[in-house]
Amino acid sequence: EAMLAVHQRHFNSVTAEDAMKMHYIAKEPGVFDFASADAMLAFTRERGQRLFGHTLIWHSATPEWVERLAERDPAALDAFMRDYIYSYVGRYQGKVAGWDVVNEAMNTAGGGYRETVWYKTLGREYIAKAFSYAHEADPAAVLFYNDFNLERDAEKLDSALEMIADLKEQGVPISGLGFQMHIRMDVPDEVIAQALRKGAATGLQIHLSEVDIIFNTHGDTRGGGVQLYDELTDDMRRQQAEKYRKLAMMYRTIVPEQQQFGITFWGFDDGGSWIRGFFELNDWPCLFDGNLEPKPAYFGFRDGLTAKLED
Ligand code: 9MR
């Protein structure tokens, strides 16, 4: 309940960490089970919060039976994708504000398309198709391409921007770019600023879609954490507050107001963050501590959101 109270008080938009992914909705052939997505919608409606759809096509959430289908019959994969997106986005038309239509289609590091089952079966066309299906199902929804490390891997960002330019040239209805923004204290602000400038230049809606800021490092792999700091000192708390403040300021000053879709955190308390389990790291990424008390990070971020900007 304490958790819900903090959530209700401080946030006006919700992204499900898991409950709206394909392995929840399409557990078995021929059936879509929308129970977990319906629950998210009910939750946000009761609280007057915006619901964001994460994510339609993501290799990591593709059920095994879909992979087997793709091997047997490539055309069936396209038919499944169309049916899935029409049914899903159609069901929540006007209720889900936007979707991460395609998530993490670029290689983890550097440029180029990730060789997922979608890519290998349908070619890079799967991306254009996914956006077109989603747009047909809900013409008003904001449709995002979403990826990680775009703020610090210039090659990866350029690759994504090239893809976006291609899609736009073909008339594909892409309307948003999501920077997941899982960052570390040592990612320089100027590097982030430069990436945001490039992203904003597309004219798309810009979503900071999965924000958190850690101290330790990792190799972008499960279990790949490198524990540099064992405890959180007051100094570190202050530095993190400043990093959060700057992030909010950069978003507000670099991304034109009409392109600001919002800032979403990937968890809001250090006790519940995905970082610990995924990287096997003890870290403190969030605005609230494990007791749901606001950290300096919270106040720093709030300052960044509310500071008066020169016009
Ligand atoms: O935080 C999410 C975790 O709870 C899930 O187990 C995992 C697999 O579905 O996905 C995590 O969220 C990821 C997000 O969907 C896409 N970007 C990276 C996030 C962290 O791994």
Side-chain angles (χ1 to χ4, degrees):
E1 296 66 56
M3 181 90 81
L4 286 176
V6 170
H7 185 267
Q8 169 72 15
R9 170 154 177 222
H10 298 284
F11 303 98
N12 60 5
S13 178
V14 176
T15 302
E17 237 188 292
D18 243 2
M20 290 177 72
K21 291 171 180 168
M22 190 182 278
H23 61 295
Y24 272 73
I25 308 294
K27 285 194 199 82
E28 43 180 305
V31 203
F32 296 135
D33 177 357
F34 293 111
S36 55
D38 283 350
M40 291 300 303
L41 181 64
F43 180 94
T44 51
R45 290 211 141 174
E46 273 164 31
R47 293 166 174 78
Q49 293 162 322
R50 173 176 83 175
L51 179 59
F52 184 71
H54 175 80
T55 166
L56 295 173
I57 304 295
W58 184 31
H59 62 95
S60 260
T62 304
E64 245 179 73
W65 75 263
V66 174
E67 295 187 1
R68 286 197 301 269
L69 175 74
E71 276 163 28
R72 275 202 313 275
D73 181 359
L77 183 68
D78 184 21
F80 164 75
M81 175 164 75
R82 193 179 57 228
D83 185 26
Y84 180 72
I85 293 180
Y86 277 177
S87 310
Y88 194 2
V89 175
R91 179 182 179 90
Y92 298 102
Q93 180 185 6
K95 295 169 180 159
V96 167
W99 292 90
D100 284 333
V101 176
V102 176
N103 193 44
E104 302 177 7
M106 296 288 142
N107 284 320
T108 294
Y113 289 90
R114 189 189 289 272
E115 303 221 340
T116 68
V117 65
W118 300 94
Y119 181 87
K120 284 191 285 196
T121 312
L122 302 173
R124 65 176 177 179
E125 276 302 287
Y126 84 90
I127 297 170
K129 286 180 166 172
F131 277 96
S132 300
Y133 298 151
H135 184 65
E136 285 165 38
D138 185 353
V142 190
L143 303 180
F144 285 84
Y145 176 70
N146 189 53
D147 213 327
F148 63 91
N149 289 6
L150 297 178
E151 75 291 341
R152 60 178 180 264
D153 183 338
E155 260 186 276
K156 184 168 180 171
L157 176 62
D158 288 347
S159 209
L161 292 176
E162 231 171 82
M163 173 191 76
I164 288 168
D166 276 2
L167 292 172
K168 284 170 58 168
E169 208 177 284
Q170 293 170 55
V172 174
I174 180 169
S175 41
L177 171 59
F179 288 83
Q180 292 184 8
M181 208 57 86
H182 293 292
I183 58 177
R184 297 197 300 253
M185 290 299 299
D186 64 359
V187 182
D189 293 328
E190 189 40 47
V191 167
I192 298 172
Q194 182 56 21
L196 286 178
R197 273 180 219 117
K198 284 187 181 177
T202 61
L204 298 177
Q205 292 289 304
I206 303 294
H207 187 193
L208 306 191
S209 56
E210 307 181 12
V211 174
D212 46 24
I213 307 182
I214 61 172
F215 295 88
N216 294 292
T217 186
H218 58 73
D220 286 312
T221 50
R222 187 176 284 279
V226 182
Q227 191 78 45
L228 303 173
Y229 304 91
D230 285 313
E231 58 169 338
L232 180 64
T233 63
D234 283 345
D235 240 24
M236 288 160 70
R237 284 190 182 88
R238 279 192 290 273
Q239 286 161 16
Q240 189 186 41
E242 181 58 8
K243 194 87 180 161
Y244 266 112
R245 188 185 70 79
K246 288 213 176 110
L247 185 64
M249 288 294 282
M250 287 191 281
Y251 186 72
R252 293 177 65 210
T253 54
I254 295 169
V255 180
E257 214 172 319
Q258 67 279 10
Q259 283 173 258
Q260 296 176 3
F261 186 76
I263 302 180
T264 301
F265 300 93
W266 216 236
F268 55 87
D269 72 292
D270 286 345
S273 167
W274 68 290
I275 296 282
R276 183 178 304 268
F278 188 86
F279 294 119
E280 290 167 24
L281 263 185
N282 184 26
D283 211 298
W284 312 272
C286 299
L287 299 187
F288 293 82
D289 69 16
N291 299 317
L292 296 171
E293 293 299 328
K295 292 158 65 186
Y298 166 85
F299 296 100
F301 184 76
R302 199 182 62 177
D303 288 350
L305 271 192
T306 54
K308 187 162 174 2
L309 301 179
E310 288 158 40
D311 28 39

mmCIF file of all heavy atoms in Angstrom, residues 16-18 21 23 54-55 58 60-61 103-104 146 148 180 182 210 222 266 274 278, ligand 1:
data_model
loop_
_atom_site.group_PDB
_atom_site.id
_atom_site.type_symbol
_atom_site.label_atom_id
_atom_site.label_comp_id
_atom_site.label_asym_id
_atom_site.label_seq_id
_atom_site.Cartn_x
_atom_site.Cartn_y
_atom_site.Cartn_z
ATOM 1 N N ALA A 16 3.990 -0.992 -18.099
ATOM 2 C CA ALA A 16 4.143 -2.294 -17.433
ATOM 3 C C ALA A 16 5.558 -2.803 -17.682
ATOM 4 O O ALA A 16 6.052 -2.752 -18.801
ATOM 5 C CB ALA A 16 3.134 -3.287 -17.986
ATOM 6 N N GLU A 17 6.196 -3.307 -16.634
ATOM 7 C CA GLU A 17 7.551 -3.824 -16.814
ATOM 8 C C GLU A 17 7.530 -5.132 -17.595
ATOM 9 O O GLU A 17 8.500 -5.490 -18.251
ATOM 10 C CB GLU A 17 8.197 -4.062 -15.443
ATOM 11 C CG GLU A 17 9.495 -3.288 -15.288
ATOM 12 C CD GLU A 17 10.259 -3.643 -14.030
ATOM 13 O OE1 GLU A 17 9.751 -3.322 -12.933
ATOM 14 O OE2 GLU A 17 11.356 -4.213 -14.137
ATOM 15 N N ASP A 18 6.459 -5.845 -17.526
ATOM 16 C CA ASP A 18 6.386 -7.172 -18.134
ATOM 17 C C ASP A 18 5.011 -7.510 -18.700
ATOM 18 O O ASP A 18 4.904 -8.168 -19.725
ATOM 19 C CB ASP A 18 6.699 -8.221 -17.052
ATOM 20 C CG ASP A 18 7.946 -9.006 -17.384
ATOM 21 O OD1 ASP A 18 8.564 -8.710 -18.418
ATOM 22 O OD2 ASP A 18 8.280 -9.913 -16.623
ATOM 23 N N LYS A 21 3.809 -7.705 -22.478
ATOM 24 C CA LYS A 21 4.688 -8.276 -23.504
ATOM 25 C C LYS A 21 4.062 -9.513 -24.156
ATOM 26 O O LYS A 21 3.142 -10.119 -23.624
ATOM 27 C CB LYS A 21 6.042 -8.626 -22.877
ATOM 28 C CG LYS A 21 6.826 -7.383 -22.479
ATOM 29 C CD LYS A 21 8.079 -7.697 -21.664
ATOM 30 C CE LYS A 21 8.815 -6.411 -21.294
ATOM 31 N NZ LYS A 21 9.876 -6.650 -20.280
ATOM 32 N N HIS A 23 4.965 -12.578 -24.517
ATOM 33 C CA HIS A 23 4.925 -13.878 -23.837
ATOM 34 C C HIS A 23 3.853 -13.947 -22.754
ATOM 35 O O HIS A 23 3.575 -15.019 -22.228
ATOM 36 C CB HIS A 23 6.305 -14.295 -23.303
ATOM 37 C CG HIS A 23 6.901 -13.357 -22.300
ATOM 38 N ND1 HIS A 23 7.263 -12.066 -22.606
ATOM 39 C CD2 HIS A 23 7.203 -13.526 -21.000
ATOM 40 C CE1 HIS A 23 7.774 -11.493 -21.522
ATOM 41 N NE2 HIS A 23 7.741 -12.363 -20.543
ATOM 42 N N HIS A 54 4.047 -1.342 -23.738
ATOM 43 C CA HIS A 54 5.409 -1.868 -23.902
ATOM 44 C C HIS A 54 5.333 -3.381 -23.853
ATOM 45 O O HIS A 54 4.942 -3.905 -22.824
ATOM 46 C CB HIS A 54 6.307 -1.338 -22.788
ATOM 47 C CG HIS A 54 7.688 -1.889 -22.781
ATOM 48 N ND1 HIS A 54 8.676 -1.435 -23.624
ATOM 49 C CD2 HIS A 54 8.262 -2.880 -22.047
ATOM 50 C CE1 HIS A 54 9.806 -2.099 -23.388
ATOM 51 N NE2 HIS A 54 9.579 -2.985 -22.443
ATOM 52 N N THR A 55 5.673 -4.050 -24.852
ATOM 53 C CA THR A 55 6.094 -3.660 -26.188
ATOM 54 C C THR A 55 5.555 -4.678 -27.173
ATOM 55 O O THR A 55 5.458 -5.857 -26.807
ATOM 56 C CB THR A 55 7.642 -3.563 -26.287
ATOM 57 O OG1 THR A 55 8.063 -3.491 -27.652
ATOM 58 C CG2 THR A 55 8.335 -4.763 -25.675
ATOM 59 N N TRP A 58 9.340 -7.620 -29.700
ATOM 60 C CA TRP A 58 10.644 -7.649 -29.026
ATOM 61 C C TRP A 58 11.148 -9.090 -29.018
ATOM 62 O O TRP A 58 10.436 -9.979 -28.538
ATOM 63 C CB TRP A 58 10.509 -7.118 -27.585
ATOM 64 C CG TRP A 58 11.804 -7.014 -26.841
ATOM 65 C CD1 TRP A 58 13.041 -6.753 -27.368
ATOM 66 C CD2 TRP A 58 12.007 -7.189 -25.426
ATOM 67 N NE1 TRP A 58 13.992 -6.736 -26.369
ATOM 68 C CE2 TRP A 58 13.381 -6.995 -25.169
ATOM 69 C CE3 TRP A 58 11.150 -7.480 -24.359
ATOM 70 C CZ2 TRP A 58 13.929 -7.096 -23.891
ATOM 71 C CZ3 TRP A 58 11.684 -7.577 -23.080
ATOM 72 C CH2 TRP A 58 13.062 -7.375 -22.844
ATOM 73 N N SER A 60 13.166 -10.630 -27.201
ATOM 74 C CA SER A 60 13.261 -11.256 -25.880
ATOM 75 C C SER A 60 11.918 -11.715 -25.325
ATOM 76 O O SER A 60 11.888 -12.508 -24.397
ATOM 77 C CB SER A 60 13.862 -10.271 -24.884
ATOM 78 O OG SER A 60 15.200 -10.536 -24.695
ATOM 79 N N ALA A 61 10.834 -11.186 -25.862
ATOM 80 C CA ALA A 61 9.514 -11.563 -25.339
ATOM 81 C C ALA A 61 8.752 -12.418 -26.339
ATOM 82 O O ALA A 61 7.560 -12.649 -26.193
ATOM 83 C CB ALA A 61 8.712 -10.309 -24.992
ATOM 84 N N ASN A 103 11.002 -2.994 -30.294
ATOM 85 C CA ASN A 103 11.938 -2.762 -29.205
ATOM 86 C C ASN A 103 13.274 -3.445 -29.493
ATOM 87 O O ASN A 103 13.299 -4.624 -29.849
ATOM 88 C CB ASN A 103 11.331 -3.348 -27.918
ATOM 89 C CG ASN A 103 12.047 -2.913 -26.660
ATOM 90 O OD1 ASN A 103 12.371 -1.737 -26.506
ATOM 91 N ND2 ASN A 103 12.291 -3.850 -25.757
ATOM 92 N N GLU A 104 14.354 -2.681 -29.398
ATOM 93 C CA GLU A 104 15.709 -3.250 -29.445
ATOM 94 C C GLU A 104 16.005 -4.026 -30.728
ATOM 95 O O GLU A 104 16.518 -5.138 -30.666
ATOM 96 C CB GLU A 104 15.958 -4.106 -28.193
ATOM 97 C CG GLU A 104 15.782 -3.288 -26.917
ATOM 98 C CD GLU A 104 15.941 -4.107 -25.623
ATOM 99 O OE1 GLU A 104 16.319 -5.284 -25.703
ATOM 100 O OE2 GLU A 104 15.682 -3.547 -24.551
ATOM 101 N N ASN A 146 12.020 1.890 -29.835
ATOM 102 C CA ASN A 146 12.605 2.034 -28.502
ATOM 103 C C ASN A 146 13.877 1.187 -28.391
ATOM 104 O O ASN A 146 13.895 0.033 -28.821
ATOM 105 C CB ASN A 146 11.564 1.534 -27.476
ATOM 106 C CG ASN A 146 11.934 1.809 -26.035
ATOM 107 O OD1 ASN A 146 12.225 2.952 -25.666
ATOM 108 N ND2 ASN A 146 11.902 0.775 -25.198
ATOM 109 N N PHE A 148 18.051 0.714 -26.187
ATOM 110 C CA PHE A 148 18.941 1.102 -25.091
ATOM 111 C C PHE A 148 20.309 1.536 -25.611
ATOM 112 O O PHE A 148 20.686 1.232 -26.738
ATOM 113 C CB PHE A 148 19.099 -0.029 -24.056
ATOM 114 C CG PHE A 148 19.733 -1.293 -24.594
ATOM 115 C CD1 PHE A 148 21.108 -1.486 -24.531
ATOM 116 C CD2 PHE A 148 18.945 -2.292 -25.146
ATOM 117 C CE1 PHE A 148 21.698 -2.665 -25.014
ATOM 118 C CE2 PHE A 148 19.526 -3.460 -25.628
ATOM 119 C CZ PHE A 148 20.902 -3.641 -25.567
ATOM 120 N N GLN A 180 15.755 4.451 -23.954
ATOM 121 C CA GLN A 180 15.483 3.769 -22.678
ATOM 122 C C GLN A 180 16.170 4.487 -21.529
ATOM 123 O O GLN A 180 15.628 4.627 -20.453
ATOM 124 C CB GLN A 180 15.929 2.301 -22.752
ATOM 125 C CG GLN A 180 15.068 1.476 -23.715
ATOM 126 C CD GLN A 180 15.412 0.004 -23.736
ATOM 127 O OE1 GLN A 180 16.210 -0.495 -22.940
ATOM 128 N NE2 GLN A 180 14.799 -0.711 -24.666
ATOM 129 N N HIS A 182 18.884 3.766 -19.633
ATOM 130 C CA HIS A 182 19.458 3.061 -18.483
ATOM 131 C C HIS A 182 20.902 3.550 -18.404
ATOM 132 O O HIS A 182 21.788 2.992 -19.057
ATOM 133 C CB HIS A 182 19.444 1.544 -18.712
ATOM 134 C CG HIS A 182 18.068 0.970 -18.762
ATOM 135 N ND1 HIS A 182 17.255 0.916 -17.658
ATOM 136 C CD2 HIS A 182 17.355 0.431 -19.785
ATOM 137 C CE1 HIS A 182 16.099 0.354 -17.995
ATOM 138 N NE2 HIS A 182 16.134 0.059 -19.276
ATOM 139 N N GLU A 210 12.774 4.352 -19.979
ATOM 140 C CA GLU A 210 13.088 3.369 -18.918
ATOM 141 C C GLU A 210 14.201 3.894 -18.008
ATOM 142 O O GLU A 210 15.155 3.179 -17.676
ATOM 143 C CB GLU A 210 13.531 2.026 -19.537
ATOM 144 C CG GLU A 210 12.556 1.462 -20.554
ATOM 145 C CD GLU A 210 12.976 0.116 -21.154
ATOM 146 O OE1 GLU A 210 13.918 -0.521 -20.624
ATOM 147 O OE2 GLU A 210 12.359 -0.283 -22.147
ATOM 148 N N ARG A 222 23.327 -10.402 -19.077
ATOM 149 C CA ARG A 222 22.761 -10.968 -17.854
ATOM 150 C C ARG A 222 23.897 -11.465 -16.958
ATOM 151 O O ARG A 222 24.797 -12.164 -17.425
ATOM 152 C CB ARG A 222 21.829 -12.123 -18.233
ATOM 153 C CG ARG A 222 21.050 -12.699 -17.096
ATOM 154 C CD ARG A 222 20.082 -13.763 -17.608
ATOM 155 N NE ARG A 222 18.919 -13.172 -18.275
ATOM 156 C CZ ARG A 222 17.862 -12.680 -17.608
ATOM 157 N NH1 ARG A 222 17.816 -12.727 -16.285
ATOM 158 N NH2 ARG A 222 16.853 -12.159 -18.278
ATOM 159 N N TRP A 266 12.262 3.156 -14.858
ATOM 160 C CA TRP A 266 12.145 1.692 -14.847
ATOM 161 C C TRP A 266 12.189 1.219 -13.401
ATOM 162 O O TRP A 266 13.194 0.793 -12.886
ATOM 163 C CB TRP A 266 13.238 1.052 -15.706
ATOM 164 C CG TRP A 266 12.740 -0.169 -16.409
ATOM 165 C CD1 TRP A 266 13.274 -1.435 -16.333
ATOM 166 C CD2 TRP A 266 11.623 -0.260 -17.303
ATOM 167 N NE1 TRP A 266 12.536 -2.293 -17.120
ATOM 168 C CE2 TRP A 266 11.515 -1.602 -17.720
ATOM 169 C CE3 TRP A 266 10.671 0.657 -17.768
ATOM 170 C CZ2 TRP A 266 10.508 -2.053 -18.596
ATOM 171 C CZ3 TRP A 266 9.682 0.214 -18.633
ATOM 172 C CH2 TRP A 266 9.611 -1.129 -19.035
ATOM 173 N N TRP A 274 15.092 -3.729 -11.473
ATOM 174 C CA TRP A 274 15.530 -4.910 -12.248
ATOM 175 C C TRP A 274 17.036 -5.117 -12.216
ATOM 176 O O TRP A 274 17.533 -6.199 -12.493
ATOM 177 C CB TRP A 274 15.102 -4.738 -13.717
ATOM 178 C CG TRP A 274 15.842 -3.631 -14.429
ATOM 179 C CD1 TRP A 274 15.713 -2.287 -14.204
ATOM 180 C CD2 TRP A 274 16.850 -3.773 -15.428
ATOM 181 N NE1 TRP A 274 16.574 -1.583 -15.015
ATOM 182 C CE2 TRP A 274 17.277 -2.467 -15.789
ATOM 183 C CE3 TRP A 274 17.426 -4.872 -16.081
ATOM 184 C CZ2 TRP A 274 18.268 -2.231 -16.752
ATOM 185 C CZ3 TRP A 274 18.411 -4.634 -17.048
ATOM 186 C CH2 TRP A 274 18.816 -3.335 -17.367
ATOM 187 N N PHE A 278 19.105 -8.713 -12.757
ATOM 188 C CA PHE A 278 19.608 -8.928 -14.117
ATOM 189 C C PHE A 278 21.131 -8.938 -14.160
ATOM 190 O O PHE A 278 21.744 -9.861 -14.694
ATOM 191 C CB PHE A 278 19.046 -7.863 -15.062
ATOM 192 C CG PHE A 278 19.362 -8.136 -16.506
ATOM 193 C CD1 PHE A 278 18.541 -8.962 -17.271
ATOM 194 C CD2 PHE A 278 20.500 -7.596 -17.099
ATOM 195 C CE1 PHE A 278 18.840 -9.238 -18.603
ATOM 196 C CE2 PHE A 278 20.807 -7.861 -18.435
ATOM 197 C CZ PHE A 278 19.977 -8.681 -19.183
HETATM 198 O O1 9MR B 1 12.546 -5.081 -16.108
HETATM 199 C C1 9MR B 1 12.027 -6.093 -16.935
HETATM 200 C C2 9MR B 1 12.121 -7.428 -16.241
HETATM 201 O O2 9MR B 1 11.272 -7.434 -15.103
HETATM 202 C C3 9MR B 1 11.732 -8.547 -17.188
HETATM 203 O O3 9MR B 1 11.955 -9.776 -16.564
HETATM 204 C C4 9MR B 1 12.549 -8.453 -18.466
HETATM 205 C C5 9MR B 1 12.126 -9.519 -19.464
HETATM 206 O O4 9MR B 1 10.794 -9.348 -19.891
HETATM 207 O O5 9MR B 1 12.402 -7.180 -19.045
HETATM 208 C C6 9MR B 1 12.817 -6.137 -18.230
HETATM 209 O O6 9MR B 1 12.624 -4.901 -18.877
HETATM 210 C C7 9MR B 1 13.402 -4.649 -20.023
HETATM 211 C C8 9MR B 1 12.533 -3.912 -21.007
HETATM 212 O O7 9MR B 1 11.367 -4.643 -21.285
HETATM 213 C C9 9MR B 1 13.273 -3.567 -22.277
HETATM 214 N N1 9MR B 1 14.496 -2.851 -21.990
HETATM 215 C C10 9MR B 1 15.360 -3.449 -21.009
HETATM 216 C C11 9MR B 1 14.596 -3.729 -19.714
HETATM 217 C C12 9MR B 1 15.505 -4.295 -18.641
HETATM 218 O O8 9MR B 1 15.988 -5.555 -19.000
#
